[in-house]
Amino acid sequence: MELNRRKFTNMLIGGGLLGWLASVLYPLFTYLIPPRVEEQSLNSVKAGKVDDFPPNSGKIIKFGRKPVLLIRTETGDFRAFSATCTHLDCIVQYREDTKHIWCACHNGMFDLTGKNIAGPPPRPLMPYGVRVQKNEIIIEKPTNLG
Amino acid sequence: MKSNMVKKVYNWLDERYDLTPLIEFARHKKVPVHEHTIWYYMGGVTLFLFLIQIFTGILLSMYYQPGPDSSYESLRFLLTKVRFGWLIRSIHSWSANLMIFFAFVHMFSTFFTRAYKKPRELTWVTGFILLSLSMAFGFSGYLLPWNELAFFATKVGTEIVGAVPVVGPIIMKVLRGGSDVTGATIYRFYAIHITLLPALFMLVLALHLVFVQKHGMSEPEHLANLPESRKKYIPFFPNFLLRDLILWLIVFDILVFLAVYYPWELGLKADPFAPAPAGIRPEWYFMFMFQTLKLLPGHILFIEGEVLGILIFMVGGLLWMLVPFWALKGRPDQRIQPMEFIGVVVLIYIGVMTILGYAL
Amino acid sequence: MKIGYTSIFAGLFLGMGVLLAQPQDDEKTSYLQQLVEVDQCVACHIEEEALPEGLHENDIHLREGLSCAGCHGGDPTSDDMDIAMDPARGYIGIPDKQEVPSFCGKCHSDIRFMRRFRPQVETDQEVQYYTSRHGRLLKAGDTKVAVCTDCHTSHAVFPASDPRSSVYPTNVPETCKRCHSDSDYMAEYKIPTDQYEKFAESVHGVALLKKKDVGSPACNDCHGNHGALPPGVTSIGQVCGNCHINNLQYFQKTKMAEEFKKMDLHDCIECHGYHAVPPTNDEMVGVGEQSTCIDCHDEGDEGYKAAVEIRAMLRNLTTAIDSANTLKKQIQIIGMDDLDIEYLLKDAHQQLIHARTVIHTFDPKQVEEKTKTGLDRAKEAIQLALEEIEEYHRRRKGFLFATLFTTLLIIGLFIKLRQIESEQKEDAHRREP
Ligand code: HEM
Ligand code: FES
């Protein structure tokens, strides 16, 4: 009887301990497993492979919370600009016909250096850096702009 | 089989390091039992929470990236993308507050049971240093998420430091890493929070614990005066330790409950150029000081009210740290003992000011 | 007698001499001091303290080497006043106000001369000027009107692209204001004098004068500068449409544009005003108090119905965006994932902005195309936000699991403690009965 009680307590403690350990270690270990999404680097983002971008095309890339317009010009080089229109924050796009950056909201236009050339936008688009590394396009925050 | 293994390891160690005195010490360590025994657990609870801080702090540092652009973002990443990231962070935040709370309880309980008396003066002094370091932990950690509240609270807090006569401005500059709270401040606070403070804290804590072991638990006067035969003790091992463990588990459960049901908020990212939002206030354990400074008039005699307040707190803190060396002795027949009176006044003061701070 | 190129070149030559003799960046002695050495006009006028009012050391004419005699004629090499200022030596002194345009035009209307300074320089200012109200009145003998020097100053002339210039975009309104806001001065012309006040408070004025956004129009961007005229009734839409391209295009295709023409109404400004153009807001469309639609439309007609419909669409979209934004903020505060919500909201916002432009078609169907997409995005955002909040609460469940084991462990340890202590008691009893 006495022995049974003891056994019971020990089992209770053992079971409790095991369960407790599991409920502490499980979150712990899953915490340590690197998350599926790569940790966002705040200074650069991978935009994809060079071959995914035909010349004379543009694509919006999410740079953290900021949309960035990546352009491959007719001559094949890459450029990137903040895609937020300097007028009223619409998202600009690359126009394959005019070969300009265009904001549909009020027909704002920017040239391929980001300069505002027509319509209401008051300021140029901020340029981002683009680097090609092993066929991979990397967009970088311009270092001189904080 | 199992116990065999344990024995082998024990023997191996014993042969080399002679564990007998340790074992003897543990066997004979005992804890007095009386109506105030409960307070003996408070230091242990504080210790337990400190261990949790170390542990969760290490985990957090694996994802946290200090910096004006990255602090907030990396925490957001931790909270949204890392599994159980929110839990670890929430536990760290809650445990920090509970630890300071229990350190306060612990301090006042040793104060009222007069455990600071000879020979435990240095236990008290090291304890006070531990509390100060804990508050420094809290202050430096508060800024790290770089959210609105943290940013402005740090601005105000360091401004107060800056108001200290003579050395204030330079200390403020050193703390901030410049004349304003900026990214440089984050790096400094981060360094202080994860390297300087833990190192100092562990050193002082080790002393504190060694002192406690050296003296054993203090006995309240009325008990100490009883004849040996009428005193009651329980062995530290396993009786007290088991109780400790049970209490720790209960605290753990409460901690996790708070962390899960009231997860610590991330807040909105700090914008140094935005006007201060309403309701900027320090953490609750700074509130009584903050509120006092707020209530002081602009000028008292020839000195600025705020400066005077800061000086008073500095002197008060120093006096409080040195309590064992000046403690007033009342006559035994006195109904109100002077130190008890002082303790109650201090408690009421802290309580009232804290409540005012939240009510006003 | 007119001064010929010879004296201009003489002036230029003298200026060059100074430039060559003294490196220009030697700022220790002022430029005028340097000129003293070679130019007797300057020398004497400094001595007599009779330099022209407002003379700026960096005046473009002066810096390009065109010293006093370059415009005023005379002989700068002679220190004898009578010789230097001898009309026989080409001295003309201060031109009559009516002469000023041709006085400046001598060089500025001559492309062969001007070209050497800037190849694509314009030389039609004088011609334009005489088509303007200013120019026509001047010709008719009214010398109160502005001539070149009234806007450009006489001796502090800078290119319009130089912020120091009186005709730099942000300075233009001040420059025009000098006459046009002076009600006494303008009284005889019977035109309003409140343009500056109104403009300064307008969207354009605030952008230009407060935000210093030189993309925003100044007076001359709508009225022209050298050819300044009030924009005609027919061209006003074109004027606004220079920047507000889409709005104009949409508007021109509407039935309303035709009706406006018939009724002699003035396109954009009928709803938006002109100098005082206030920032637009959604209340301008619809049938509410601030509505501009009901200026013409009455209950029951088609336009009235369209106004009601369009207003409702916009309101639906803005409320949806507002509530999504509130949720987003809440989600940021509690530290849940708001990234996708943010992108959806960006999209919704874009549709709203677009819809506000499409209003100028006055066609509810076209507006709806935008607002509907926007509304879908906003709703998706709200949905996502609610899911995040739900997830926030759901993850509490794990606690029950953990607490169960913690409690079990606590109970186990507690029983153990009781057992140990009762055994200890028995032991003690046994030892000392
Ligand atoms: C902040 C972290 C602190 C930790 C981790 C800590 C830890 C401990 C522990 C484990 C004990 C032994 C158990 C007990 O008596 O409760 C103890 C005892 C003691 N502590 Fe602390 N302590 C801290 C802060 C303080 C503070 C703020 C004071 C007072 C200013 C203080 C004064 C004392 C004294 C006088 C004792 C001896 C109590 C006795 O013998 O009855 N400690 N501390
Ligand atoms: S928002 Fe881009 S042109 Fe208006």
Side-chain angles (χ1 to χ4, degrees):
Chain A
M1 179 56 210
E2 179 64 18
L3 215 75
N4 269 350
R5 252 188 67 186
R6 243 200 220 182
K7 220 173 178 179
F8 171 74
T9 337
N10 284 347
M11 269 171 59
L12 196 60
I13 294 179
L17 189 64
L18 275 182
W20 185 79
L21 275 179
S23 59
V24 169
L25 292 181
Y26 172 69
L28 247 170
F29 280 114
T30 42
Y31 176 87
L32 290 176
I33 295 168
R36 249 164 296 153
V37 218
E38 250 179 88
E39 180 135 15
Q40 281 150 355
S41 153
L42 294 141
N43 296 315
S44 66
V45 76
K46 283 180 191 156
K49 298 261 176 274
V50 170
D51 315 325
D52 299 341
F53 296 88
N56 192 23
S57 72
K59 191 183 170 201
I60 297 290
I61 308 287
K62 289 181 183 175
F63 192 99
R65 329 207 117 231
K66 304 228 162 65
V68 167
L69 175 64
L70 178 66
I71 295 172
R72 185 158 197 201
T73 62
E74 263 184 314
T75 47
D77 49 331
F78 286 98
R79 294 179 192 184
F81 301 95
S82 154
T84 309
C85 181
T86 53
H87 179 222
L88 292 177
D89 296 347
C90 285
I91 311 272
V92 298
Q93 51 188 287
Y94 179 73
R95 289 256 309 241
E96 280 143 36
D97 50 350
T98 59
K99 301 181 179 88
H100 273 153
I101 301 168
W102 180 62
C103 176
C105 283
H106 310 102
N107 227 336
M109 242 181 267
F110 305 85
D111 69 12
L112 290 185
T113 67
K115 207 169 103 191
N116 47 321
I117 49 168
R123 278 180 307 281
L125 298 170
M126 186 181 76
Y128 279 68
V130 187
R131 205 154 39 93
V132 179
Q133 214 170 49
K134 292 192 197 128
N135 208 32
E136 180 113 51
I137 305 164
I138 296 163
I139 301 182
E140 295 172 321
K141 203 174 182 176
T143 42
N144 54 342
L145 295 164
Chain B
M1 225 298 275
K2 203 173 75 188
S3 56
N4 230 348
M5 189 67 193
V6 173
K7 210 168 238 162
K8 258 191 199 154
V9 173
Y10 175 82
N11 287 338
W12 190 91
L13 284 170
D14 193 33
E15 227 175 281
R16 286 159 180 80
Y17 299 104
D18 185 16
L19 297 180
T20 343
L22 261 181
I23 296 297
E24 280 303 295
F25 179 79
R27 185 170 297 154
H28 292 294
K29 189 174 161 60
K30 56 189 181 173
V31 179
V33 180
H34 48 83
E35 72 272 30
H36 298 308
T37 304
I38 171 89
W39 302 116
Y40 290 149
Y41 295 100
M42 296 305 139
V45 169
T46 316
L47 178 64
F48 173 64
L49 290 167
F50 176 66
L51 294 179
I52 289 193
Q53 285 309 91
I54 298 273
F55 209 69
T56 48
I58 291 173
L59 290 174
L60 288 179
S61 70
M62 290 174 183
Y63 290 102
Y64 178 73
Q65 306 173 358
D69 294 323
S70 54
S71 282
Y72 184 86
E73 298 301 335
S74 63
L75 273 186
R76 174 144 61 189
F77 180 80
L78 177 93
L79 293 180
T80 56
K81 295 285 164 7
V82 179
R83 296 193 58 200
F84 291 108
W86 62 276
L87 183 62
I88 303 292
R89 166 166 188 261
S90 195
I91 288 183
H92 193 75
S93 306
W94 269 110
S95 168
N97 284 277
L98 290 182
M99 171 179 154
I100 291 179
F101 174 76
F102 277 104
F104 267 105
V105 173
H106 174 52
M107 178 175 75
F108 278 104
S109 64
T110 55
F111 182 85
F112 285 115
T113 53
R114 267 177 271 176
Y116 53 76
K117 280 190 317 193
K118 188 181 169 192
R120 296 188 177 79
E121 295 96 331
L122 290 184
T123 317
W124 171 270
V125 173
T126 47
F128 181 85
I129 297 174
L130 286 178
L131 179 68
S132 312
L133 290 176
S134 308
M135 289 167 80
F137 260 125
F139 186 67
S140 56
Y142 195 48
L143 176 70
L144 298 182
W146 196 243
N147 59 28
E148 239 173 26
L149 282 180
F151 174 79
F152 286 104
T154 304
K155 218 171 148 110
V156 175
T158 45
E159 240 154 48
I160 291 176
V161 175
V164 174
V166 191
V167 287
I170 183 73
I171 297 183
M172 179 179 95
K173 246 195 165 156
V174 169
L175 274 180
R176 286 182 171 181
S179 46
D180 241 320
V181 176
T182 58
T185 323
I186 304 183
Y187 296 119
R188 290 192 176 214
F189 275 39
Y190 184 60
I192 293 173
H193 190 80
I194 75 155
T195 60
L196 181 66
L197 286 177
L200 278 180
F201 195 96
M202 284 196 242
L203 193 78
V204 182
L205 180 61
L207 282 176
H208 193 69
L209 294 181
V210 166
F211 294 158
V212 172
Q213 295 317 315
K214 177 80 191 161
H215 297 130
M217 300 314 288
S218 72
E219 297 169 7
E221 272 145 67
H222 66 92
L223 198 85
N225 297 334
L226 288 180
E228 214 39 47
S229 60
R230 291 194 41 206
K231 290 185 188 173
K232 265 173 57 189
Y233 293 100
I234 51 168
F236 179 80
F237 192 83
N239 303 44
F240 193 82
L241 190 65
L242 262 178
R243 284 183 168 82
D244 246 350
L245 271 182
I246 290 172
L247 187 59
W248 289 12
L249 280 172
I250 292 174
V251 169
F252 179 81
D253 217 16
I254 295 173
L255 174 64
V256 176
F257 169 80
L258 289 171
V260 171
Y261 278 85
Y262 303 94
W264 212 260
E265 284 182 351
L266 179 60
L268 296 170
K269 188 170 178 172
D271 175 3
F273 302 110
I280 290 303
R281 54 168 71 123
E283 297 260 76
W284 58 268
Y285 40 87
F286 289 117
M287 191 49 120
F288 72 97
M289 294 192 264
F290 183 71
Q291 186 59 28
T292 310
L293 296 184
K294 231 165 79 180
L295 290 184
L296 283 177
H299 278 277
I300 300 169
L301 298 177
F302 55 91
I303 197 169
E304 226 176 286
E306 193 183 41
V307 174
L308 183 70
I310 294 168
L311 287 178
I312 290 177
F313 277 120
M314 282 164 64
V315 172
L318 198 67
L319 281 178
W320 191 254
M321 179 166 101
L322 299 177
V323 153
F325 304 102
W326 58 264
L328 307 169
K329 287 188 195 73
R331 276 173 281 111
D333 55 319
Q334 247 176 319
R335 250 178 53 79
I336 301 172
Q337 293 290 321
M339 287 318 273
E340 233 157 70
F341 178 75
I342 292 177
V344 170
V345 168
V346 169
L347 258 185
I348 290 178
Y349 178 77
I350 293 181
V352 168
M353 278 300 166
T354 307
I355 291 169
L356 275 184
Y358 282 96
L360 291 185
Chain C
M1 143 128 201
K2 289 191 172 180
I3 34 170
Y5 287 135
T6 32
S7 50
I8 294 171
F9 279 122
L12 276 176
F13 181 74
L14 283 172
M16 298 290 219
V18 174
L19 292 180
L20 291 176
Q22 297 270 332
Q24 201 180 351
D25 55 7
D26 182 6
E27 294 291 346
K28 273 182 212 122
T29 47
S30 80
Y31 185 64
L32 280 175
Q33 289 301 331
Q34 297 167 29
L35 277 180
V36 168
E37 311 283 320
V38 288
D39 190 322
Q40 294 307 322
C41 312
V42 178
C44 205
H45 276 257
I46 286 183
E47 212 174 287
E48 300 289 320
E49 292 182 11
L51 285 175
E53 207 181 317
L55 172 66
H56 196 294
E57 271 221 333
N58 291 320
D59 175 276
I60 188 166
H61 295 133
L62 197 61
R63 282 289 166 163
E64 291 289 343
L66 200 60
S67 184
C68 315
C71 297
H72 297 284
D75 183 357
T77 59
S78 168
D79 59 0
D80 182 332
M81 200 167 101
D82 291 330
I83 301 176
M85 289 165 60
D86 178 3
R89 289 172 190 256
Y91 180 73
I92 48 174
I94 303 172
D96 282 346
K97 188 155 184 181
Q98 260 186 307
E99 303 277 291
V100 170
S102 55
F103 184 80
C104 302
K106 205 155 32 306
C107 297
H108 280 277
S109 300
D110 183 353
I111 185 65
R112 273 165 306 161
F113 178 74
M114 292 303 291
R115 174 152 59 205
R116 76 190 69 219
F117 297 99
R118 207 149 55 79
Q120 76 289 49
V121 71
E122 284 144 18
T123 47
D124 57 350
Q125 297 95 332
E126 192 184 348
V127 180
Q128 277 200 28
Y129 175 75
Y130 283 114
T131 70
S132 77
R133 181 84 90 234
H134 292 145
R136 291 203 315 243
L137 286 176
L138 185 76
K139 223 171 215 163
D142 183 351
T143 52
K144 279 176 78 179
V145 297
V147 295
C148 315
T149 50
D150 287 304
C151 299
H152 291 278
T153 77
S154 306
H155 299 107
V157 180
F158 293 98
S161 57
D162 186 324
R164 290 174 296 188
S165 164
S166 55
V167 292
Y168 183 71
T170 56
N171 300 334
V172 165
E174 280 294 334
T175 299
C176 302
K177 173 188 166 196
R178 289 214 333 268
C179 298
H180 280 274
S181 292
D182 184 336
S183 48
D184 292 337
Y185 195 80
M186 298 303 291
E188 65 189 84
Y189 302 101
K190 305 206 169 47
I191 58 173
T193 49
D194 57 356
Q195 300 95 329
Y196 181 85
E197 277 161 56
K198 284 181 166 171
F199 172 77
E201 298 294 316
S202 72
V203 246
H204 299 134
V206 169
L208 181 71
L209 302 174
K210 293 226 174 79
K211 295 186 199 148
K212 304 289 175 199
D213 175 355
V214 295
S216 183
C219 315
N220 60 322
D221 286 295
C222 299
H223 294 284
N225 24 33
H226 302 112
L229 270 183
V233 173
T234 44
S235 67
I236 202 142
Q238 294 298 341
V239 169
C240 306
N242 258 321
C243 296
H244 302 280
I245 309 165
N246 276 4
N247 307 46
L248 178 68
Q249 275 175 5
Y250 291 139
F251 178 76
Q252 279 178 332
K253 286 192 204 121
T254 60
K255 231 176 18 195
M256 220 164 93
E258 279 168 45
E259 291 303 314
F260 268 33
K261 226 169 259 157
K262 280 187 220 150
M263 296 167 71
D264 214 14
L265 290 175
H266 306 39
D267 295 3
C268 319
I269 66 170
E270 296 301 336
C271 298
H272 293 282
Y274 44 106
H275 294 122
V277 184
T280 50
N281 85 51
D282 290 350
E283 295 296 334
M284 287 172 68
V285 63
V287 293
E289 248 170 54
Q290 297 178 46
S291 157
T292 53
C293 310
I294 52 172
D295 289 352
C296 301
H297 292 284
D298 290 317
E299 203 161 349
D301 73 21
E302 215 179 309
Y304 192 91
K305 260 188 276 166
V308 172
E309 276 178 57
I310 292 178
R311 178 75 195 93
M313 289 167 189
L314 289 180
R315 190 179 298 115
N316 283 347
L317 181 51
T318 47
T319 11
I321 290 180
D322 283 349
S323 37
N325 258 322
T326 316
L327 281 172
K328 186 185 93 177
K329 206 162 179 187
Q330 192 185 334
I331 279 169
Q332 278 178 343
I333 289 176
I334 62 179
M336 296 296 288
D337 196 354
D338 69 321
L339 189 64
D340 294 334
I341 301 173
E342 177 148 332
Y343 272 99
L344 281 169
L345 270 174
K346 272 200 175 102
D347 210 358
H349 173 258
Q350 168 145 1
Q351 300 301 331
L352 174 65
I353 297 285
H354 217 146
R356 285 177 176 153
T357 312
V358 177
I359 287 176
H360 299 93
T361 60
F362 310 115
D363 175 1
K365 275 209 203 73
Q366 291 190 50
V367 177
E368 194 178 17
E369 264 174 47
K370 302 294 171 195
T371 53
K372 204 166 163 307
T373 331
L375 208 56
D376 288 346
R377 294 289 172 278
K379 280 186 183 149
E380 271 174 68
I382 291 176
Q383 184 56 34
L384 216 60
L386 293 177
E387 275 167 30
E388 283 293 317
I389 291 175
E390 200 179 308
E391 166 66 21
Y392 179 74
H393 292 296
R394 196 169 35 231
R395 62 193 191 187
R396 294 174 172 178
K397 292 222 176 82
F399 174 71
L400 295 177
F401 180 76
T403 202
L404 174 75
F405 290 109
T406 318
T407 316
L408 277 185
L409 191 57
I410 292 173
I411 294 173
L413 286 174
F414 187 71
I415 299 176
K416 185 86 187 168
L417 179 69
R418 295 284 289 273
Q419 283 173 359
I420 290 175
E421 291 195 339
S422 68
E423 271 168 38
Q424 281 171 342
K425 245 184 218 148
E426 277 168 32
D427 268 3
H429 268 293
R430 236 174 280 145
R431 245 179 268 152
E432 36 184 310

